[in-house]
């Protein structure tokens, strides 16, 4: 009888695991690290028996043919412009690398947001795409926070509960929308590059930046509000900010408190840092393993500025002399160097013999190799997660966006140093390389942070999949704080402080009146006695 009961339990468990849900994932258009993070969450859900569909743009339709993603389904939408226009939009960010921070912020919005909003309008008006999405009978939608159109799509085809997925630390504006209280005194805004322990001027700047994002955010996204009304996705007064507050059940954030600054978070914000990090696999013998092994005791430096800033035919966007500056520094190292560089033939110059260039690098596997001594990179979040996982010290050259934040966290944890992109010289690069390579403290700190990061009960992908399933089963209202519904006066307790101040003032006033009355009475008594004695 016991065996029958056990068999029934096993069969029920298997049936439950096989009978999965239908999940729609939008990772921007299907570009770069955003798609990589979303697809990894998707694969973890597929492994748990779910059907996963990726919504991508036609400019990245080649993803659907990649054997790496054969377990995922795809729905492909047409862009409002040509595919070349979309790809050039992403490439054009190279042109603003050496602009000031504020100029970068403004130009980034000007480059991307009109296209994002036009593509959103195109999808909502494309009956074929909407019909195909409705056929999927999805239970939940996961959206990358870079592109917010999925909030409208979820309403159009559902409505569906939405789970936000952020490839980087959440903006404090999103924290606020999620119901997480803000403390600008020790919570630096994303892209600020501020430390956690801020002086007065840094706290002032952080507060002003949060205010700029908080009050400027709704105005920058007004076209979405018009689309909500045009497609009858809710009441006439409904805004995109309302959708963020009300429709997003959960936020999955690709960060890890092993290196992220500590902060309080409400239960609906789930850290899943380390999505792309994994144990290394063997490198190609001839192309890479022989080169790594030949480095001897000195080891190898891995250098990459990411997929959008890779040196090559368009290297002039990163200053014409930048290759020579790095090459001259690498030539003076005892270590060998693997340099992520496209189209090395276009350089018209000879690189040092200790340098090997590759148009693509197996970054995670290189960082996990026992010959890797240092990782020099731009501060991308996937690279940060991977170097932390493998315990590799680093040099960060932040170029834009959240990358200054990465540099600040690297310095705070003592796992590397940062270089100023505006003042790159052979001497400054060589000094940073020798500092990190020759000072054991960086390697020791990197190993310590790695041990902290790895000491977790469940891997990041499984953690993300678990919480997606949790929302599918139970929803997410029970995880959300009511803080998001409070006004600034209520959340800051200004009304309470005002009331207490008035009460205190009244108490002081009453005490003053009583004391004054007492003194007057005493004065009269004293005067009356004095008068009696002299009469």
């Amino acid at each position: 009888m016991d065996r029958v009961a056990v068999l029934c339990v096993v069969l029920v468990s298997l049936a439950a695991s096989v009978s999965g849900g239908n999940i729609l994932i939008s990772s921007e258009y299907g570009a770069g690290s955003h798609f990589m993070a979303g697809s990894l969450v998707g694969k973890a859900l597929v492994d748990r028996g779910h059907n996963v569909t990726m919504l991508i743009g036609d400019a990245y339709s080649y993803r659907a043919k990649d054997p790496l993603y054969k377990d995922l389904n795809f729905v492909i939408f047409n862009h409002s412009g040509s595919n070349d226009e979309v790809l050039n939009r992403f490439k054009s960010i190279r042109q603003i690398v050496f602009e000031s921070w504020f100029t970068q912020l403004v130009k980034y919005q000007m480059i991307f947001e009109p296209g994002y909003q036009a593509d959103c309008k195109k999808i909502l008006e494309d009956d074929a795409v909407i019909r195909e999405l409705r056929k999927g009978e999805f239970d939940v939608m996961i959206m990358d926070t870079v592109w917010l159109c999925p909030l409208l799509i979820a309403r159009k085809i559902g409505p569906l509960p939405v789970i936000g997925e952020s490839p980087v630390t959440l903006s404090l504006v999103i924290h606020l929308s999620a119901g997480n209280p803000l403390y600008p005194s020790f919570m630096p805004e994303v892209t600020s590059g501020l430390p956690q322990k801020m002086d007065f001027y840094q706290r002032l700047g952080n507060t002003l930046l949060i205010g700029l994002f908080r009050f400027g955010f709704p105005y920058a996204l007004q076209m979405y509000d018009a689309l909500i009304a045009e497609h009858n996705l809710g009441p006439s007064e409904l805004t995109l900010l309302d959708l963020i507050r009300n429709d997003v059940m959960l936020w999955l954030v690709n960060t890890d408190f092993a290196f992220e600054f500590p902060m309080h978070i409400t239960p609906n914000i789930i850290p899943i840092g380390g999505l792309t990090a994994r144990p290394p696999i063997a490198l190609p013998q001839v192309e890479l393993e022989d080169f790594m092994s030949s480095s001897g005791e000195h080891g190898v430096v891995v250098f990459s500025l990411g997929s959008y800033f890779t040196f090559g035919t368009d290297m002039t966007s990163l200053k014409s002399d930048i290759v020579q500056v790095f090459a001259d520094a690498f030539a003076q190292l005892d270590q060998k160097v693997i340099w992520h560089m496209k189209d090395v033939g276009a350089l018209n110059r000879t690189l040092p013999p200790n340098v090997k260039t590759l148009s693509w690098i197996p970054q995670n596997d290189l960082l996990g190799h026992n010959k890797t001594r240092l990782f020099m990179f731009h501060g991308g979040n996937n690279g940060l997660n991977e170097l932390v996982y493998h315990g590799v010290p680093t040099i960060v050259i932040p170029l834009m966006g959240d990358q200054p934040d990465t540099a600040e966290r690297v310095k705070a944890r003592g796992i590397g140093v940062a270089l100023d992109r505006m003042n790159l010289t052979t001497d400054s690069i060589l000094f940073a390389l020798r500092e990190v390579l020759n000072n054991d403290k960086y390697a020791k700190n990197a190993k310590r942070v790695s041990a902290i990061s790895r000491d977790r009960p469940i891997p990041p992908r499984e953690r993300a999949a678990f919480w997606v399933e949790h929302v599918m089963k139970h929803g997410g209202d029970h995880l959300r704080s009511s803080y998001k519904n409070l006004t600034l006066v209520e959340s800051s307790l200004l009304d309470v402080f005002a009331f207490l101040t008035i009460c205190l003032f009244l108490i002081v006033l009453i005490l003053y009146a009583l004391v004054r009355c007492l003194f007057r009475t005493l004065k009269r008594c004293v005067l009356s006695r004095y008068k009696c004695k002299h009469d």
Side-chain angles (χ1 to χ4, degrees), residues 172 181-189 194-196 198 202-204 206-208 210:
L172 296 189
L182 301 188
Y183 293 93
S185 56
F186 69 93
M187 294 171 68
E189 178 58 283
L194 291 171
Q196 186 167 50
M198 295 177 267
Q202 289 170 329
R203 283 183 278 116
L204 175 62
N206 192 45
T207 303
L208 293 175
I210 293 170

Side-chain angles (χ1 to χ4, degrees), residues 26-87:
S26 170
S27 294
E28 202 175 14
Y29 289 159
S33 57
H34 295 266
F35 177 81
M36 187 181 299
S39 64
L40 288 171
V41 173
K43 286 183 177 183
L45 288 162
V46 169
D47 291 342
R48 295 166 78 102
H50 300 287
N51 301 309
V52 176
T53 299
M54 305 291 296
L55 176 65
I56 62 173
D58 190 51
Y60 295 91
S61 58
Y62 61 86
R63 303 281 193 194
K65 301 174 184 177
D66 191 332
L68 190 62
Y69 309 113
K70 59 182 174 57
D71 295 331
L72 303 175
N73 304 308
F74 288 86
V75 171
I76 300 170
F77 65 85
N78 293 319
H79 299 281
S80 57
S82 69
N83 290 349
D84 286 340
E85 288 175 351
V86 174
L87 296 173

Side-chain angles (χ1 to χ4, degrees), residues 104 106 124 132 167 213 243 262 328 401 444 486 510:
Q104 281 188 350
V106 172
L124 294 175
E132 189 173 358
F213 285 174
L243 298 187
D328 290 345
K444 289 179 180 178
L486 301 179
I510 292 169

Side-chain angles (χ1 to χ4, degrees), residues 112-127:
F112 282 95
E113 203 52 53
Y116 281 151
Q117 296 180 14
D119 282 343
C120 190
K121 180 177 176 65
K122 175 81 172 177
I123 292 172
L124 294 175
E125 294 174 351
D126 192 329
D127 293 336

Side-chain angles (χ1 to χ4, degrees), residues 172 175-184 186-187 263-266 268-269 481-484 486 491:
L172 296 189
H175 271 280
L176 190 63
S177 299
N180 197 40
L182 301 188
Y183 293 93
F186 69 93
M187 294 171 68
M263 67 177 75
H264 53 266
I265 52 176
T266 46
N268 61 329
I269 299 175
S481 164
S482 60
Y483 182 85
K484 64 185 177 64
L486 301 179
S491 63

Side-chain angles (χ1 to χ4, degrees), residues 36-38 40-41 165 254 272-278 382 385 460-461 464:
M36 187 181 299
L40 288 171
V41 173
E165 180 192 7
N254 191 18
I272 55 168
L275 283 175
T276 62
R278 53 168 173 75
N382 286 341
N385 278 281
R461 299 179 203 180

